Amino acid sequence: EAGVTQFPSHSVIEKGQTVTLRCDPISGHDNLYWYRRVMGKEIKFLLHFVKESKQDESGMPNNRFLAERTGGTYSTLKVQPAELEDSGVYFCASSQRTSGGGGTDTQYFGPGTRLTVL
Amino acid sequence: AQSVSQHNHHVILSEAASLELGCNYSYGGTVNLFWYVQYPGQHLQLLLKYFSGDPLVKGIKGFEAEFIKSKFSFNLRKPSVQWSDTAEYFCAVSPGYSSASKIIFGSGTRLSIRP
């Protein structure tokens, strides 16, 4: 079974440019999450999709960030225009929707996209 | 607000030494607790998780963690580390009211093992 994949693995752009990151979750996983790690700090939640719907977008830093998940499969995260403080590693994770029974779904993480804004 | 605090930024041990990484969380309700690990060049992967039952949780590769509710702690332990345990370790928490919700991570502890 293929894991979570992310593209590109690295991106270097200049301040003011636009970048689009892509995440392909594990097939059949309804839940898709985006996280970000700024250098030296903790991994922070950005948002959560259930299928194509945004379940929780409380972690999105500002309106320069736009996430979509059309059709409930892959997701994109666009940063427009990029600022210096957007540099970091962007992780995507996915989990299956469980039928209950307690506990929480295991989130499977992708390798991350390292974004550098110059 | 929920938060997770990991006590050590960088831990250096010799092979066969015992390991304990501290983790405290701040959250008033029921929680799910995790330890994730990121080996060099690899994805974040789940080491172990706790959501209910026995507070001593066993994970992969000989790791275990103990949930102490009164101390809001979830420390990670391994009796004898190996060089291959060199990695970054993240303690994390999510609210227990939902099976699918965001994870709050600590800042990570880098573990270096001297061969």
Side-chain angles (χ1 to χ4, degrees):
Chain A
E1 178 185 273
V4 177
T5 57
Q6 293 187 244
F7 182 81
S9 55
H10 293 86
S11 181
V12 181
I13 61 172
E14 295 196 348
K15 178 182 164 179
Q17 289 186 319
T18 297
V19 64
T20 300
L21 312 181
R22 174 173 169 143
C23 168
D24 286 78
I26 293 171
S27 177
H29 281 193
D30 287 339
N31 295 294
L32 187 149
Y33 305 82
W34 283 98
Y35 295 87
R36 174 174 76 170
R37 188 180 195 195
V38 171
M39 182 151 27
K41 302 222 170 167
E42 68 271 24
I43 301 167
K44 281 198 169 178
F45 167 80
L46 296 178
L47 89 159
H48 169 205
F49 284 99
V50 177
K51 297 187 178 178
E52 64 275 9
S53 299
K54 290 175 186 172
Q55 181 78 11
D56 180 356
E57 50 184 327
S58 61
M60 293 289 261
N62 51 60
N63 59 9
R64 295 186 293 103
F65 289 75
L66 174 65
E68 294 180 323
R69 193 183 181 194
T70 310
T73 54
Y74 71 90
S75 174
T76 58
L77 179 65
K78 184 194 288 191
V79 185
Q80 178 183 31
E83 298 288 344
L84 299 178
E85 65 264 24
D86 300 332
S87 295
V89 180
Y90 289 76
F91 293 101
C92 176
S94 71
S95 71
Q96 228 167 4
R97 170 167 271 197
T98 60
S99 56
T104 193
D105 306 338
T106 295
Q107 294 184 23
Y108 296 88
F109 281 78
T113 293
R114 182 175 296 278
L115 175 63
T116 302
V117 183
L118 303 175
Chain B
Q2 301 159 20
S3 66
V4 178
S5 173
Q6 292 185 240
H7 306 164
N8 308 99
H9 225 51
H10 190 192
V11 172
I12 303 173
L13 295 173
S14 297
E15 274 196 311
S18 64
L19 169 72
E20 180 159 3
L21 300 183
C23 172
N24 287 89
Y25 67 92
S26 167
Y27 183 68
T30 304
V31 292
N32 302 298
L33 295 158
F34 311 86
W35 277 95
Y36 276 85
V37 61
Q38 188 170 27
Y39 297 102
Q42 295 189 28
H43 304 194
L44 265 170
Q45 57 184 283
L46 184 68
L47 259 185
L48 48 81
K49 69 178 181 182
Y50 169 84
F51 65 90
S52 69
D54 189 344
L56 185 62
V57 182
K58 296 203 184 293
I60 60 171
K61 305 190 180 188
F63 286 90
E64 64 179 31
E66 185 175 13
F67 170 49
I68 303 180
K69 190 174 179 181
S70 60
K71 293 185 178 179
F72 296 89
S73 71
F74 191 55
N75 292 355
L76 181 72
R77 300 194 291 248
K78 185 170 184 179
S80 175
V81 294
Q82 301 170 305
W83 179 80
S84 58
D85 293 325
T86 296
E88 191 161 19
Y89 292 80
F90 297 89
C91 182
V93 63
S94 73
Y97 54 76
S98 170
S99 62
S101 62
K102 65 185 178 187
I103 294 176
I104 311 298
F105 286 90
S107 55
T109 297
R110 197 150 51 93
L111 177 64
S112 299
I113 305 297
R114 290 189 292 246

